[in-house]
Amino acid sequence: MSAAATEVPARGSRVRTPAVDPASAVARARPHISPVEAISQTFSMAWRALKKMRRNPEQFFDVTLQPLLFTAMFAYIFGGAISGNVKSYLPLLIPGIVAQTVLTTCMATGVQLREDMEKGVFDRFKALPIARIAPLAGPMVADLVRYLIAATLTFVMGVIIGYRPGGGPLGVLGAIALAIFTGWALAWIFTWIGTIARNARSVQGISMLILFPLTFLSNAFVPIHTLPSALADFVRVNPVSHLVSAARDLANLGVISGEVGWTLLAGLVVIAIFAPLSVYSYRRHL
Amino acid sequence: MTTAASVSATGLVKTFGGLRAVDGIDLEVRQGEIFGVLGPNGAGKTTMLRMLATLLPIDAGQARVFGVDVTTEPHRVRQLVGVTGQYASVDEDLTATENLWLFGRLQGLRSADARATARGLLSQFGLEEAANRPISQFSGGMRRRLDLAASLITRPPLIFLDEPTTGLDPRTRGQMWDTIRGLVADGCTIMLTTQYLDEADQLADRVAVIDHGRKVAEGTPDELKTSVGNSTLQLELAAGVDQDLARQVVQRVAGREPVLTPESGRMNVPLETADAAADVLIGLRQAGVAISAVSVAKPTLDEVFLTLTGHDAGDAGQPARSSHDEALLEVR
């Protein structure tokens, strides 16, 4: 064993000099990480998250079952009451469900990050000379797959029960892309919660408190004019409402309306606030 | 080239709430040595290591790794140290190869190089056959080896090992020791924590004994052992015997202060050789001190602690008695 331990195999010799030289290691050690390195590290972490997803397919339950179930349920429960019949409710509902499922998926991002952070491997990530944002942003990049599945399945389910998007395939694709972007942006809020909460369970609890007002106090399921005025005011500024309106314009009319701009702006503002906050609190928790 | 110490720390402090987990520790680890940090659970060993490895902020004091300040330049320090934690810091959901590949990629290796390095390390640590198995199927010893391998990807000149052999069977422990010696032969400096006196004895060039967040002793294993004696005479005095008289006799004959154990009427006498026990017993008989039980044992970590700190090793946290057998000092 002792012989084996000191033997350095010839393979991979580029990085394995026979003896360790502290002085040159100190000279090589760089004070900062370049943005290119940070991005490459983020993608490595995304690779890890994707591997984990493939090995734990039960993680996909929420993004597959929820769109299928909620679309059918909401359509048949509220369709008659709100729009007279199911078919005329679908153009209103489907973009709303897309927003809702994407948001629920965001929440899982925070919960899973917290669970992950409690594992031993995070100690190594912290000890490695890597960008502090990489372990946070990596899983979020991988989660783009989940948003894509959730948004696509919602439209598919809608079409199955009779939704005919007037915006055509391009409009639908636009709506999906916008939903994915917004989901990714809003996920930073939940990532931040993941870095400040005590454990995964409390991430879930706090996230629910944010999620419910955000989705239900929007125009996702009901037209704004049916709401009392104070509520309507909140619903109008809620970024989820902008996403829903923009997605409706895209999917139903094939129109890129001003709402798209508002949605993108809201997403960027959320990233600008919560990405630095997340990194800050992750760093502090070291 | 200046030969800065691998680690030099002054006045390190870490406070958790009101508890001073590390309470003003000074350390100097020389290049190319194995430095052991010995202490019971809860003594502050791990906390100290985590501060030096940039995993915990330093509350007070200063630490440098090869002359690089840990607080102001953590990113540079992280490029110089490999850390192997007490609990396997590898990803349970990935295979051994995937773990090493990921850590290599994160540290800037190209994909092919990361794969080659992973393959090299796996064969170096005898894990080739398990290369594509998920870590959840690994034994404790395999996990530790993989964990150590993961710390060596960029060949850092300083390696922190937090209790590298806790929970390993004796054979696996011996293999780990050989591996650690091999790293030093390659030019690495090792700083390791341990609860086991014999581990410090077998491996370390120098040892610091930590208790309640303070350094209570430092020296070579031989120096530490001499302070405890090579074996211990355990005496149980008969009921009604004058304990003070017994103490005086022991001191006169053995030339050492006996250590009173918490149980009344019991005392431990550190001895250079087991032979000296006879002298102590004869002395006690001549002084008329009656004994109800007697045994001679090799010193344990408990006794090192009793001698150095005046309290039982278990006081500082969990009792160290479960590791009693493993903590027996090797006397050759």
Side-chain angles (χ1 to χ4, degrees), chain B residues 233-277:
Chain B
L233 173 64
Q234 296 168 337
L235 294 172
E236 198 176 320
L237 304 175
V241 162
D242 181 354
Q243 211 165 318
D244 206 45
L245 174 67
R247 198 178 57 80
Q248 284 168 15
V249 172
V250 168
Q251 208 171 3
R252 182 168 44 79
V253 178
R256 283 172 181 279
E257 184 73 23
V259 183
L260 297 173
T261 60
E263 301 91 339
S264 61
R266 294 188 61 173
M267 55 174 63
N268 290 343
V269 186
L271 300 170
E272 284 303 331
T273 62
D275 234 20

Side-chain angles (χ1 to χ4, degrees), chain A residues 49-60:
Chain A
L50 284 172
K51 274 269 172 207
K52 289 168 87 83
M53 277 184 200
R54 272 181 41 196
R55 304 230 160 113
N56 302 295
E58 70 275 8
Q59 278 185 23
F60 287 107

Side-chain angles (χ1 to χ4, degrees), chain B:
Chain B
M1 136 178 170
T2 52
T3 47
S6 292
V7 179
S8 82
T10 46
L12 280 190
V13 172
K14 182 74 207 175
T15 319
F16 294 120
L19 174 77
R20 287 171 86 83
V22 173
D23 193 3
I25 289 183
D26 299 340
L27 278 181
E28 176 117 349
V29 179
R30 299 166 195 154
Q31 283 195 13
E33 75 175 347
I34 301 182
F35 188 88
V37 179
L38 181 66
N41 283 332
K45 306 185 298 283
T46 301
T47 306
M48 187 180 73
L49 215 62
R50 289 178 68 85
M51 280 197 284
L52 294 174
T54 76
L55 291 172
L56 271 179
I58 296 171
D59 286 352
Q62 205 200 26
R64 288 174 176 279
V65 169
F66 297 106
V68 181
D69 191 284
V70 173
T71 308
T72 58
E73 294 191 278
H75 184 62
R76 289 187 73 203
V77 170
R78 288 182 193 123
Q79 291 165 72
L80 299 171
V81 301
V83 189
T84 296
Q86 206 165 330
Y87 308 101
S89 32
V90 286
D91 196 319
E92 301 269 330
D93 290 332
L94 301 182
T95 67
T97 307
E98 287 168 347
N99 263 291
L100 297 181
W101 182 83
L102 172 65
F103 298 136
R105 287 288 290 153
L106 284 172
Q107 292 177 91
L109 299 188
R110 283 178 305 190
S111 184
D113 292 332
R115 209 170 301 126
T117 306
R119 212 181 300 125
L121 283 167
L122 287 173
S123 78
Q124 183 184 346
F125 282 85
L127 292 167
E128 280 161 312
E129 273 148 46
N132 295 315
R133 267 197 269 155
I135 310 300
S136 44
Q137 294 173 15
F138 273 38
S139 70
M142 288 162 75
R143 251 172 232 242
R144 291 296 173 91
R145 275 183 282 157
L146 179 65
D147 210 356
L148 182 52
S151 305
L152 303 178
I153 289 168
T154 54
R155 310 287 287 171
L158 172 64
I159 294 161
F160 291 126
L161 299 173
D162 195 8
E163 305 203 1
T165 65
T166 297
L168 296 188
D169 62 69
R171 194 180 65 92
T172 320
R173 165 172 302 174
Q175 288 175 348
M176 188 57 104
W177 287 352
D178 287 338
T179 306
I180 293 171
R181 291 193 189 101
L183 293 175
V184 173
D186 283 354
C188 281
T189 305
I190 309 265
M191 182 169 172
L192 62 87
T193 69
T194 181
Q195 304 183 43
Y196 308 132
L197 188 56
D198 76 325
E199 182 158 287
D201 187 31
Q202 292 276 330
L203 273 181
D205 298 304
R206 288 188 309 129
V207 174
V209 181
I210 306 284
D211 184 46
H212 289 306
R214 290 171 187 273
K215 188 168 76 179
V216 293
E218 187 176 345
T220 64
D222 277 341
E223 286 164 356
L224 274 183
K225 271 191 288 182
T226 327
S227 75
V228 191
N230 281 330
S231 43
T232 303
L233 173 64
Q234 296 168 337
L235 294 172
E236 198 176 320
L237 304 175
V241 162
D242 181 354
Q243 211 165 318
D244 206 45
L245 174 67
R247 198 178 57 80
Q248 284 168 15
V249 172
V250 168
Q251 208 171 3
R252 182 168 44 79
V253 178
R256 283 172 181 279
E257 184 73 23
V259 183
L260 297 173
T261 60
E263 301 91 339
S264 61
R266 294 188 61 173
M267 55 174 63
N268 290 343
V269 186
L271 300 170
E272 284 303 331
T273 62
D275 234 20
D279 300 337
V280 174
L281 294 175
I282 292 167
L284 288 172
R285 163 62 53 85
Q286 283 168 350
V289 176
I291 290 163
S292 64
V294 63
S295 66
V296 179
K298 296 165 184 171
T300 63
L301 180 61
D302 285 4
E303 274 136 11
V304 176
F305 268 83
L306 273 168
T307 313
L308 290 172
T309 66
H311 70 79
D312 197 74
D315 287 3
Q318 314 236 308
R321 290 194 188 281
S322 57
S323 57
H324 188 84
D325 290 338
E326 292 144 328
L328 287 179
L329 192 74
E330 198 93 2
V331 179
R332 284 147 306 171

